[in-house]
Amino acid sequence: MKDLISLHYLSTGEIFEILKVAEKLKYELKNGIAHNILKGKTLGMIFTKSSTRTRVSFEVGMAQLGGYALFLSSNDIQLGRGETIYDTANVLSRYIDGIMIRTYKHSDVEDLAKYSSIPVINGLTDLLHPCQVLADLLTIYEHKSKLEGLKLAYVGDGNNVAHSLLYGCAKVGMDISVATPKGYQCNFDVVESAKEDAKLTGAKIVTTEDPVEAVKDADVIYTDTWVSMGQEDEKKERINIFKQYQVNGKLFSMAKEDAVFLHCLPAYRGLEVTEEVIDGPQSLVFDEAENRLHAQKAVMALLLGK
């Protein structure tokens, strides 16, 4: 593993290695065991999209591993304001030990990794969100003691989180059903490549427009905001289209009795999910948010600690 761009590019073994290291680092942190795995290392964090969880978890994670995180907003660097990605990648490679980038265009991350001589971590693009799904898999494993053979149901917008869930579930042998409205389905190429990944693990992938079909017998129900950053102008239209896809008590009851609820946050109670679900006893959203820290520490330790 040279970079973390997409879970599609990782092997099943590499994903489980990340989860194993994350478990170990989490346990040791809870037991007061300090680490200097990344002592003297610097992570450059490029943000053209703002974030609460991404910035805090990466910055705190680097500090806990003995390294230093350097925040770089779009106002701080020339990327996207005249300087080519090629030049930016080459310059940063001479200053720092790794790059985390959270941005819009997925091709920018691919290019940054192509031209950098240091590891690049995809903190989010409009196409994928691999760091989030590593945290999701860690959370599910902690509460279900396995991943293979479980069923995850995703209900809502066929967005970057849904895409990375397709890859993540396929790689670890977890069945996934994705329910989206017509016109808001997942990217066709992502679905097809995830199905190819699933052939190696036996995972089943189902796409449907029916949320009831998706959640039937699910072990995990997952949703995300209907209006992502940059889609604010579509808010009224999207709320009207997605109202049939709300995760509420009635829909949740169609899953397995011991099903758990996940949401990558931020959540909008009363829209994509009701309070009774997200604040209910089967919700793991804050465990999931915490696990962003531990999963990303594992990624950084494996990539930058070599």
Side-chain angles (χ1 to χ4, degrees):
M1 183 173 67
K2 176 187 176 293
D3 305 293
L4 176 61
I5 307 302
S6 168
L7 299 183
H8 177 56
Y9 299 156
L10 302 186
S11 67
T12 296
E14 286 172 326
I15 290 176
F16 277 109
E17 181 184 22
I18 292 168
L19 299 182
K20 183 179 179 180
V21 172
E23 274 193 306
K24 179 177 183 290
L25 291 174
K26 182 175 182 177
Y27 172 82
E28 291 176 346
L29 177 67
K30 301 288 185 183
N31 286 275
I33 300 172
H35 285 288
N36 284 301
I37 298 170
L38 300 183
K39 183 178 180 180
K41 303 277 187 175
T42 301
L43 178 76
M45 305 190 304
I46 300 173
F47 284 87
T48 60
K49 267 189 173 184
S50 60
S51 168
T52 300
R53 279 152 291 276
T54 299
R55 178 172 180 182
V56 175
S57 56
F58 271 106
E59 197 161 327
V60 171
M62 276 298 288
Q64 290 179 355
L65 293 174
Y68 176 73
L70 178 65
F71 177 77
L72 301 167
S73 74
S74 54
N75 293 323
D76 297 320
I77 60 174
Q78 302 301 318
L79 182 66
R81 294 192 296 152
E83 186 167 55
T84 66
I85 291 177
Y86 174 84
D87 288 352
T88 299
N90 275 280
V91 169
L92 290 180
S93 293
R94 303 206 175 197
Y95 292 149
I96 58 181
D97 303 286
I99 299 169
M100 187 286 297
I101 178 169
R102 180 180 170 95
T103 192
Y104 292 88
K105 290 172 60 179
H106 187 73
S107 60
D108 286 352
V109 180
E110 295 273 10
D111 288 344
L112 194 60
K114 179 180 178 181
Y115 299 124
S116 295
S117 59
I118 55 176
V120 172
I121 300 169
N122 178 4
L124 174 143
T125 66
D126 284 347
L127 183 68
L128 298 174
H129 199 352
C131 288
Q132 176 62 55
V133 172
L134 288 171
D136 299 335
L137 295 176
L138 178 61
T139 306
I140 296 166
Y141 185 79
E142 286 177 337
H143 289 269
K144 296 292 185 181
S145 300
K146 65 175 185 176
L147 295 173
E148 187 176 6
L150 297 177
K151 176 184 175 181
L152 183 146
Y154 176 89
V155 179
D157 190 15
N159 61 13
N160 49 7
V161 172
H163 294 157
S164 285
L165 283 168
L166 282 164
Y167 285 139
C169 289
K171 289 286 186 176
V172 302
M174 188 188 306
D175 297 341
I176 178 170
S177 293
V178 178
T180 55
K182 187 175 182 179
Y184 295 86
Q185 298 100 325
C186 290
N187 178 285
F188 177 81
D189 291 335
V190 170
V191 175
E192 291 304 302
S193 54
K195 286 180 178 178
E196 289 299 312
D197 290 340
K199 289 179 181 178
L200 299 175
T201 62
K204 299 174 184 175
I205 293 177
V206 175
T207 56
T208 178
E209 294 177 21
D210 184 357
V212 174
E213 177 189 354
V215 305
K216 184 179 180 183
D217 296 324
D219 299 281
V220 183
I221 297 181
Y222 199 122
T223 192
D224 190 8
T225 178
W226 295 339
V227 186
S228 297
M229 197 177 300
Q231 298 172 337
E232 290 80 5
D233 292 346
E234 306 171 31
K235 183 175 181 178
K236 187 175 180 180
E237 178 185 9
R238 280 176 166 266
I239 289 173
N240 185 55
I241 291 169
F242 282 94
K243 61 186 177 183
Q244 305 294 329
Y245 292 80
Q246 183 186 74
V247 178
N248 49 38
K250 181 179 179 182
L251 184 65
F252 198 86
S253 69
M254 297 175 187
K256 288 183 179 176
E257 189 174 347
D258 63 347
V260 296
F261 175 75
L262 297 179
H263 190 308
C264 58
L265 303 179
Y268 299 92
R269 291 161 171 80
L271 292 180
E272 72 268 16
V273 61
T274 58
E275 289 185 0
E276 65 176 320
V277 173
I278 193 170
D279 297 323
Q282 287 161 276
S283 174
L284 302 179
V285 296
F286 296 116
D287 287 358
E288 178 187 11
E290 178 191 338
N291 279 337
R292 287 288 302 277
L293 171 66
H294 308 300
Q296 288 161 192
K297 281 173 68 178
V299 170
M300 292 186 291
L302 289 166
L303 287 178
L304 278 66
K306 293 179 180 178

